[in-house]
Amino acid sequence: MLGNEAFARGAYEGGVEVAAGYPGTPSTEILEFLSTYRDVHSRWCPNEKVAFEVAAGAAIGGRRALATMKHVGLNVASDALMTLAYTGVNAGFVAIVADDPEMHSSQNEQDTRNYAFFAKVPCLEPSNPSEALEFTRLAFAISEQFDTPVLVRSTTRVSHSRGLVKLGERKRVAPKEYRKCAEKFVMIPAFARERRKVLEERLQALEGFAEETPLNRVELRNRRIGIITGGVLYAYLREIAPEVSVLKLGMSFPLPKRKIQEFASQVEELFVLEELDPIWEREIKAMGIKVKGREVFPGIGEITPDVLIERLFPEKKRDFVDLSSLLIPRPPILCAGCPHRGIFKVLRDMKAVVCGDIGCYTLSTLPPLSAMDTCLCMGASISIAEGIKLAHPELFVVAALGDSTFIHAGIPPLIDVVYNKTPIVVLVLDNGTTAMTGGQDHPATGRTLMGEETHHLDIAHLARAVGVPFVETLNAYDPKKIRRTLEQARELSEPALLVIQGPCQLKKPKQSLSRFRVQEDRCRGCFICVSAGCPALVKNEKKVAIVHERCNACGLCMELCPFEAIEEEKV
């Protein structure tokens, strides 16, 4: 079972009734798998904070609930987490958060254990799919036993690896009674001060639990080296060095300090093996225990089995065959037929300052498009564009973000643009899905995660409703009209918003009724079409050729050709 499928199964067996999240690699599949259990209400939400609060509301109301997100999503939801830690939860509440060491598909590296320390809530950390199921199921019981939200931390290698799991029965949990209790759930200062004391008392109780729970276990073998570790690194260590003694921390926070002291006294040399931040190392050194961590293991990127061998067991170096030479070089590039390609070519040609956002269109940063100037975090394209415009009013500043990202975090900054009358152009690149994470629905697709038809949010109407004075909806494959409209918007002294519509090629229904060809006698070899970076177009000596196996028949090249050398043909 895939790790994320096991997380979903663990939640199902744990009696979850409400699950909410926002897609983000490597966490996305958890909710997709959970939605196949029809007696669990599963939903995508506009962003992680909304998802967290929906699940928290369900738990306060008496039903076991789950929230899922990637690590940067917890930044968005952290405001709710910090206070839910005070109020407690009534029924079980679990948030599964997936970290991404090495940034395989993320804008930064974060260690979710910091949030557990910060919020003073327990954190569990499975090392394989089997534990992903087991720990998630157990997390609901811990949540109810201590009346606290529980974080379950995954990493890319746990979420996306496969392993054997033992399936169990779904736990039938009677809903807990909901009782009005303002002293517990309304955090005005007078009540919050009392709940602050409860938080510390709960933390002490959790520290006692950490000492006794089998989630933290000592495996004594050769006592020359002892290693404290957890998560997927435990699995690597067992594979590489099964002879060493290990203290496996399945509960990342709070730490079992007495157990750590006992383990340290039983081995000659003690190491802490942890990915990303030296959280355990700091705590253990603060206990006065001599331990090695960062001086041996890197704090940036993934610690793979080969890194572990190199740093700690060089005598175990394995022979391997380097297969990289067999791979065909494939630079990161927008898909053939991607509706975003044409707009970024136009923006580059107009020398616009383009403030981008989180999504696959960040690939427009790379040559040959080289169109994007900034990309910070979800929704920041609009706010950053405002700031640059304030600094340089003479520049043509454009914010570009996808439809799902716009709904996630783009609406408040758009309101700010209108409120402060900042003359920037906002482009909502509407491809009808959350493309980068694999094509999930959102409020503007008209479908829910459970497959139901629902209200279709009209982004253009929303923009007009918040006061944007200039709003247009355009076809992504009509670059000439897009350019004319952008030139019109550039001359305005007020905000403008363009919805650029074109389907994601990975979600588009396959059609084989047409393709495009180059009339060689008309091709002048100007290569304007190639400058958009479509992988289906190649230079053939002094002409252009179309690789039909790569072509998605979007027709953008035909629109770009100034000599009408590319034409459509029926197949």
Side-chain angles (χ1 to χ4, degrees):
M1 186 174 278
L2 188 72
N4 278 347
E5 186 176 7
F7 280 118
R9 179 71 192 189
Y12 171 75
E13 292 184 10
V16 69
E17 294 193 64
V18 175
Y22 183 81
T25 306
S27 71
T28 307
E29 299 89 351
I30 301 171
L31 217 53
E32 291 179 327
F33 282 117
L34 198 52
S35 70
T36 64
Y37 298 107
R38 305 308 290 183
D39 44 354
V40 178
H41 175 85
S42 302
R43 60 166 62 184
W44 292 127
C45 292
N47 63 39
E48 295 84 355
K49 182 173 185 291
V50 175
F52 192 99
E53 291 163 351
V54 167
I60 291 171
R63 306 276 180 172
R64 288 191 170 187
L66 175 74
T68 69
M69 62 202 71
K70 67 182 296 181
H71 61 289
V72 289
L74 188 54
N75 297 334
V76 182
S78 61
D79 200 15
L81 168 66
M82 292 300 163
T83 304
L84 190 68
Y86 277 47
T87 66
V89 294
N90 194 16
F93 175 93
V94 176
I96 302 177
V97 185
D99 289 358
D100 187 18
E102 201 68 36
M103 294 173 279
H104 295 282
S105 56
S106 305
Q107 65 269 43
N108 65 33
E109 285 183 333
Q110 285 180 206
D111 194 323
T112 289
R113 293 176 300 167
N114 284 305
Y115 274 110
F117 278 72
F118 194 10
K120 302 178 186 290
V121 299
C123 180
L124 309 187
E125 192 165 349
S127 63
N128 55 42
S130 176
E131 288 188 350
L133 190 159
E134 179 190 353
F135 285 20
T136 303
R137 186 174 53 197
L138 181 59
F140 287 99
I142 295 173
S143 174
E144 289 186 357
Q145 180 181 348
F146 293 95
D147 188 28
T148 178
V150 176
L151 298 181
V152 176
R153 181 202 187 208
S154 182
T155 57
T156 305
R157 300 302 176 185
V158 175
S159 286
H160 288 167
S161 63
R162 290 185 179 274
L164 296 174
V165 302
K166 183 178 180 180
L167 301 185
E169 297 293 326
R170 175 169 167 80
K171 184 178 179 65
R172 298 292 173 184
V173 184
K176 287 186 173 291
E177 180 185 4
Y178 170 72
R179 286 186 294 181
K180 183 180 177 69
C181 182
E183 293 84 355
K184 179 170 167 41
F185 291 115
V186 182
M187 286 302 94
I188 59 175
F191 296 159
R193 291 186 194 106
E194 294 303 313
R195 294 302 300 180
R196 178 76 175 85
K197 299 173 187 172
V198 172
L199 183 66
E200 292 300 326
E201 292 167 359
R202 179 203 299 152
L203 188 57
Q204 287 185 10
L206 283 164
E207 288 171 350
F209 177 81
E211 300 287 357
E212 304 300 328
T213 175
L215 291 169
N216 301 323
R217 66 172 185 265
V218 172
E219 299 174 3
L220 279 176
R221 299 183 181 87
N222 186 321
R223 303 192 182 196
R224 188 179 66 80
I225 291 179
I227 299 180
I228 299 172
T229 190
V232 74
L233 297 182
Y234 167 79
Y236 293 167
L237 184 62
R238 288 266 59 90
E239 176 187 337
I240 293 167
E243 74 278 9
V244 303
S245 293
V246 178
L247 169 53
K248 180 183 184 298
L249 296 178
M251 192 171 191
S252 297
F253 180 81
L255 291 178
K257 295 182 179 178
R258 177 165 45 83
K259 188 168 285 187
I260 290 171
Q261 288 171 332
E262 291 174 358
F263 181 69
S265 69
Q266 292 174 306
V267 297
E268 296 177 22
E269 191 173 19
L270 185 64
F271 294 85
V272 173
L273 174 59
E274 55 188 331
E275 225 162 24
L276 299 178
D277 294 340
I279 293 174
W280 294 334
E281 181 183 346
R282 280 198 304 262
E283 292 294 308
I284 293 169
K285 284 182 174 176
M287 293 162 59
I289 296 174
K290 185 178 179 182
V291 65
K292 294 180 180 177
R294 275 294 166 269
E295 67 260 53
V296 179
F297 306 111
I300 298 175
E302 281 191 291
I303 297 179
T304 63
D306 287 335
V307 170
L308 188 52
I309 288 172
E310 176 190 339
R311 299 298 179 96
L312 201 58
F313 308 105
E315 73 281 5
K316 294 175 179 286
K317 190 170 183 180
R318 303 179 292 188
D319 294 328
F320 67 94
V321 178
D322 185 3
L323 300 176
S324 59
S325 62
L326 301 178
L327 297 175
I328 299 173
R330 193 181 60 172
I333 195 169
L334 294 169
C335 299
C338 174
H340 306 326
R341 175 170 283 103
I343 181 65
F344 284 109
K345 181 184 182 305
V346 171
L347 292 170
R348 180 197 62 193
D349 294 347
M350 295 180 72
K351 302 187 186 310
V353 174
V354 181
C355 300
D357 223 297
I358 304 300
C360 43
Y361 38 86
T362 53
L363 294 170
S364 70
T365 307
L366 304 173
L369 289 169
S370 304
M372 194 168 287
D373 289 69
T374 67
C375 177
L376 188 67
C377 62
M378 295 285 276
S381 56
I382 300 175
S383 320
I384 294 284
E386 279 196 275
I388 292 178
K389 189 68 176 177
L390 288 173
H392 289 280
E394 76 283 6
L395 294 177
F396 175 37
V397 183
V398 174
L401 71 171
D403 43 342
S404 184
T405 306
F406 175 74
I407 294 164
H408 178 286
I411 298 170
L414 181 68
I415 292 171
D416 189 66
V417 168
V418 174
Y419 175 62
N420 287 297
K421 299 184 285 188
T422 312
I424 64 168
V425 180
V426 176
L427 302 179
V428 179
L429 309 177
D430 182 4
N431 60 6
T433 189
T434 312
M436 195 167 189
T437 49
Q440 289 73 36
D441 285 306
H442 57 66
T445 67
R447 291 177 302 276
T448 71
L449 176 59
M450 304 288 278
E452 299 167 334
E453 298 293 325
T454 185
H455 175 71
H456 181 177
L457 174 68
D458 188 312
I459 294 172
H461 285 179
L462 186 147
R464 294 188 184 97
V466 301
V468 179
F470 183 92
V471 179
E472 294 280 347
T473 299
L474 302 168
N475 179 355
Y477 298 106
D478 190 347
K480 297 183 180 70
K481 187 172 183 181
I482 291 173
R483 175 149 188 160
R484 288 196 300 271
T485 309
L486 280 170
E487 287 171 344
Q488 184 182 357
R490 181 170 55 181
E491 301 305 318
L492 300 173
S493 58
E494 56 190 7
L497 183 142
L498 310 182
V499 182
I500 311 293
Q501 292 183 327
C504 172
Q505 294 301 305
L506 299 180
K507 296 285 286 185
K508 178 183 173 185
K510 297 299 179 187
Q511 298 176 349
S512 58
L513 301 179
S514 65
R515 67 180 185 182
F516 291 80
R517 65 179 180 182
V518 178
Q519 291 283 15
E520 292 196 2
D521 57 329
R522 297 183 199 164
C523 179
R524 309 284 182 85
C526 67
F527 301 124
I528 290 176
C529 56
V530 175
S531 69
C534 178
L537 297 177
V538 295
K539 295 180 180 178
N540 184 6
E541 295 183 352
K542 296 183 179 179
K543 306 286 184 179
V544 167
I546 297 176
V547 181
H548 293 298
E549 291 77 11
R550 300 176 188 169
C551 178
N552 275 322
C554 70
L556 177 65
C557 54
M558 183 177 72
E559 294 294 329
L560 293 175
C561 179
F563 306 108
E564 299 183 348
I566 300 177
E567 62 183 20
E568 185 177 8
E569 63 177 353
K570 300 296 180 185
V571 178

